[in-house]
Amino acid sequence: MFDVRAADLRLLNSLTKYPSIATYHTLDPRDGGLTSPATVFPGEVVATEKVDGTNSRLVLLPDGSYLIGSREELLYAKGDLIGNPALGIVEQLKPVAAQLPAGDGIRVYYLELYGGKVGGAAKQYTRDPARFGWRLFDVADLTEWREPLTWSPARISAWRESGGQPWVPEDALVTLAASAGLELTPRLWHRPGAELPSAIEGMHELLTATLPATLVGLDGVSGRAEGLVLRAPDRSVIAKARFQDYERTLRRRR
């Protein structure tokens, strides 16, 4: 029987974090520029808008409780009198978490919270500092959670960063989001991975053609989009392509 009050929250936090996402072209740590090679997608690719906000998560637990977290830390548990107010995550997402059903395992909903006063890009989505939006982008279903919660922190981290989390595949994610009344980050196109550009210039052209402006503006604002997230339908490969990385790299080349 799962009991959140008896669980090791340090391990649960690590187990339910979203993994790091590599850039589509290799990011040079020395100067922040992009270099070859490009990420290889052996099969289909799903492109979604990369929303510039704060990565958030709703962790639904087998005992009927839930946790709300940012990417790095847990901020609130169901029933708490006080929650961490960081970036408005708890205030904005508590009503969402409260209406999601718990299951037999641990289900984690990953959302991007944006607008309001979330970072310097908030103005790209809204003129109102009190207005927030959020979009679901992935769900993990940890039906086998007992053993992982006995692992060391180092083992959990290595498991997470090497693709160990059991993702809900793309088609099932779309169905799940619709049944739960959750909006997804915009799905832009599906295409074979072999059709993705290998050159930096080619990916910049694809970004510009795909997203001339954000598709998730909140009050008529259609500001600048951050970029794309490219995913295999089963999440075996994930990469991001941001306008700022390509523009910086191409400026230096010129």
Side-chain angles (χ1 to χ4, degrees):
M1 179 67 180
F2 186 91
D3 179 1
V4 67
R5 301 295 172 181
D8 187 327
L9 294 182
R10 180 182 57 155
L11 299 181
L12 189 58
N13 181 43
S14 185
L15 194 73
T16 60
K17 284 183 181 180
Y18 200 76
S20 304
I21 303 179
T23 50
Y24 175 69
H25 280 92
T26 304
L27 194 64
D28 188 333
R30 296 170 299 179
D31 62 6
L34 297 170
T35 65
S36 295
T39 302
V40 175
F41 285 83
E44 190 81 0
V45 179
V46 181
T48 67
E49 179 175 348
K50 187 178 190 308
V51 181
D52 196 347
T54 185
N55 191 309
S56 310
R57 54 189 152 134
L58 307 178
V59 184
L60 280 293
L61 299 167
D63 62 358
S65 63
Y66 63 78
L67 303 168
I68 299 176
S70 63
R71 187 183 187 280
E72 293 299 327
E73 60 182 324
L74 299 173
L75 305 174
Y76 177 82
K78 179 182 178 181
D80 284 354
L81 295 178
I82 299 173
N84 187 323
L87 299 171
I89 293 172
V90 173
E91 179 184 2
Q92 297 299 319
L93 295 182
K94 189 160 64 168
V96 181
Q99 56 92 27
L100 294 172
D104 296 330
I106 297 174
R107 172 172 282 181
V108 190
Y109 294 80
Y110 297 95
L111 309 100
E112 196 74 16
L113 182 73
Y114 66 99
K117 296 181 180 179
V118 182
K123 63 186 178 183
Q124 305 298 333
Y125 305 106
T126 180
R127 301 180 184 89
D128 183 352
R131 185 164 186 181
F132 292 81
W134 55 265
R135 292 293 182 109
L136 177 71
F137 58 87
D138 261 326
V139 172
D141 261 339
L142 289 85
T143 55
E144 303 296 330
W145 50 266
R146 291 174 178 83
E147 181 183 349
L149 284 177
T150 67
W151 295 345
S152 68
R155 183 177 177 185
I156 291 175
S157 179
W159 167 85
R160 182 186 70 240
E161 295 301 321
S162 61
Q165 288 160 310
W167 299 107
V168 173
E170 179 68 16
D171 289 348
L173 176 65
V174 172
T175 301
L176 175 63
S179 65
L182 305 177
E183 286 192 276
L184 288 162
T185 49
R187 270 50 191 160
L188 302 166
W189 41 256
H190 292 219
R191 65 181 60 177
E195 293 183 2
L196 292 179
S198 59
I200 289 171
E201 294 85 353
M203 177 50 76
H204 182 247
E205 291 171 3
L206 180 59
L207 277 169
T208 302
T210 300
L211 276 175
T214 181
L215 299 177
V216 296
L218 296 171
D219 44 21
V221 174
S222 295
R224 178 179 169 84
E226 185 183 15
L228 298 175
V229 179
L230 307 169
R231 293 178 172 91
D234 64 359
R235 306 312 190 246
S236 56
V237 186
I238 308 176
K240 60 188 176 186
R242 300 181 299 184
F243 278 101
Q244 66 177 13
D245 293 333
Y246 286 87
E247 290 166 354
R248 180 172 56 246
T249 300
L250 293 173
R251 278 197 306 269
R252 289 174 178 173
R253 286 185 173 186
R254 289 193 288 265

